[in-house]
């Protein structure tokens, strides 16, 4: 990965990427990658982490603060397949070059499973809002993925098939609840050394297995009637309202009214778009924000609980432990010297 001339006083960079195999990313130094994203900025110990899994297969976790990198341009000659799992924040990408992608647009936000084959693309990506963009991605060479896929490509959900065949650069699916849990576990891992490596390898394989299961379901990703574009936008708007008002979230009936849907359509559609219930989505987001405050912003447990809208500290700690497998106090102590 090579960084081109820095632009726009630190808020916009151009990245030129040219690598054929996931192994090319796996051998990169995470610290150097962080520096290439935001030259001269201290971006935190978890800005970028990379886990090699096996030849042609790796996983990385990225945390991007909009205050440090609000916008970047990219030019990609060659890159392996990528499956992404967005946990918080959102980005909007406009493809400005290359025949197969010119004019395409994609919004990646919390709860989205993105499927990318970005070779031969260019464009600009902007972070939306002030929330930190946290995501997990696995990169895998097409030949290795083909060994795991035990179905004909024609049986794969059509938008995904177009990506795998190189006819389109990117599409998004709702993350399943299992994907969401696994991706959160990657960010929550407090292990080190060989134990951490083994844990990360296991989670990368788990994500790949969940991804293949989602790709190969027939006759499509969901047996439900596909949502109309305006219906999906209403569901995503409801999610934005939940995130914006997480300290005092609206009831489902009020949320449905704000989104312009009835309660049944909102609940069913939310499951289709995000692969989880409204309440689970809100709780996952609250806990992710709380963890970010504790580990990266120096907040104590009470401050984090208050910020995400919990009055009862005991209830907050119980929810936090259920999601991350440890208490917020343990996370605070474990990262005190980071």
């Amino acid at each position: 990965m090579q960084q081109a001339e820095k632009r726009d006083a630190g808020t916009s960079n151009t990245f030129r990427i040219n690598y054929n195999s996931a192994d090319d990313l796996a051998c990169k130094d995470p610290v150097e990658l962080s520096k290439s994203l935001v030259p001269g900025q201290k971006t935190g110990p978890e800005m970028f982490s990379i886990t090699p899994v096996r030849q042609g297969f790796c996983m990385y976790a990225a945390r991007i603060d909009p205050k440090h990198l609000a916008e970047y341009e990219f030019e990609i000659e060659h890159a392996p397949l990528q499956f992404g799992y967005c946990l918080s924040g959102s980005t909007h990408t406009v493809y400005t070059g290359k025949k197969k992608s010119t004019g395409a647009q994609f919004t990646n936000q919390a709860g989205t499973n993105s499927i990318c084959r970005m070779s031969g693309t260019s464009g600009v990506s902007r972070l939306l809002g002030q929330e930190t963009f946290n995501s997990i991605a696995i990169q895998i060479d097409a030949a290795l993925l083909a060994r795991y896929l035990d179905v004909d490509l024609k049986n794969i959900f059509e938008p995904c098939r177009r990506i795998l065949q190189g006819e389109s650069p990117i599409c998004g699916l709702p993350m399943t609840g299992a994907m969401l849990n696994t991706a959160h576990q990657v960010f929550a891992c407090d292990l080190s050394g060989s134990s951490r490596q083994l844990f990360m390898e296991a989670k990368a394989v788990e994500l790949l297995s969940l991804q293949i299961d989602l790709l190969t379901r027939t006759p499509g990703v969901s047996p439900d009637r596909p949502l109309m574009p305006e219906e999906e936008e209403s569901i995503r708007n409801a999610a934005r309202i939940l995130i914006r008002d997480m300290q005092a979230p609206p009831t489902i009936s009020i949320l449905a009214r704000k989104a312009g849907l009835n309660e049944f359509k909102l609940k069913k559609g939310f499951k289709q778009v995000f692969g989880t219930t409204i309440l689970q989505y809100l709780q996952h987001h609250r806990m992710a924000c709380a963890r970010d405050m504790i580990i990266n912003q120096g907040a104590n447990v009470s401050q984090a609980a208050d910020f995400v809208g919990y009055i009862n500290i005991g209830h907050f700690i119980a929810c936090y432990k259920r999601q991350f497998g440890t208490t917020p106090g343990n996370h605070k102590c474990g990262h005190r010297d980071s």
Side-chain angles (χ1 to χ4, degrees), residues 171-187:
C171 75
L173 299 174
M175 249 196 278
T176 66
M179 285 177 172
L180 192 63
N181 288 335
T182 302
H184 274 301
Q185 288 169 15
V186 172
F187 262 107

Side-chain angles (χ1 to χ4, degrees), residues 161-180:
R161 178 182 56 75
R162 287 175 53 80
I163 306 296
L164 299 180
Q165 293 179 328
E167 299 170 4
S168 182
I170 190 169
C171 75
L173 299 174
M175 249 196 278
T176 66
M179 285 177 172
L180 192 63

Side-chain angles (χ1 to χ4, degrees), residues 5 10 28 41 57 60 100 108 120 123 128 145 161 169 171 180 202 233 237 261 265 283-284 319:
E5 183 180 357
K28 298 289 185 183
Q41 292 278 2
F57 180 21
Y60 70 86
K100 75 174 182 179
N108 192 12
L128 306 177
L145 179 64
R161 178 182 56 75
C171 75
L180 192 63
E233 179 55 30
N237 184 50
L261 300 168
K265 284 187 177 180
Q283 183 165 310
H284 276 298
C319 291

Side-chain angles (χ1 to χ4, degrees), residues 116-131:
C116 317
R117 192 162 194 163
M118 302 289 283
S119 294
T121 63
S122 62
V124 59
S125 190
R126 297 178 179 87
L127 274 73
L128 306 177
Q130 298 304 309
E131 186 179 12

Side-chain angles (χ1 to χ4, degrees), residues 39-97:
Q41 292 278 2
K42 177 176 173 57
T43 56
E46 294 182 344
M47 174 70 185
F48 217 100
S49 64
I50 303 169
T51 302
V53 182
R54 60 192 61 167
Q55 188 171 359
F57 180 21
C58 73
M59 177 177 70
Y60 70 86
R63 171 177 282 114
I64 302 177
D65 187 334
K67 295 191 295 292
H68 294 155
L69 186 69
E71 177 180 307
Y72 59 91
E73 298 177 8
F74 59 88
E75 298 175 6
I76 303 175
E77 288 299 320
H78 299 287
L81 284 163
Q82 177 170 297
F83 301 108
Y85 311 91
C86 181
L87 298 176
S88 66
S90 59
T91 64
H92 183 70
T93 301
V94 177
Y95 297 88
T96 58

Side-chain angles (χ1 to χ4, degrees), residues 17 23 34 49 64 94 148 165 232 248 328:
I17 298 170
D23 298 327
S34 294
S49 64
I64 302 177
V94 177
Y148 293 117
Q165 293 179 328
E232 181 173 344

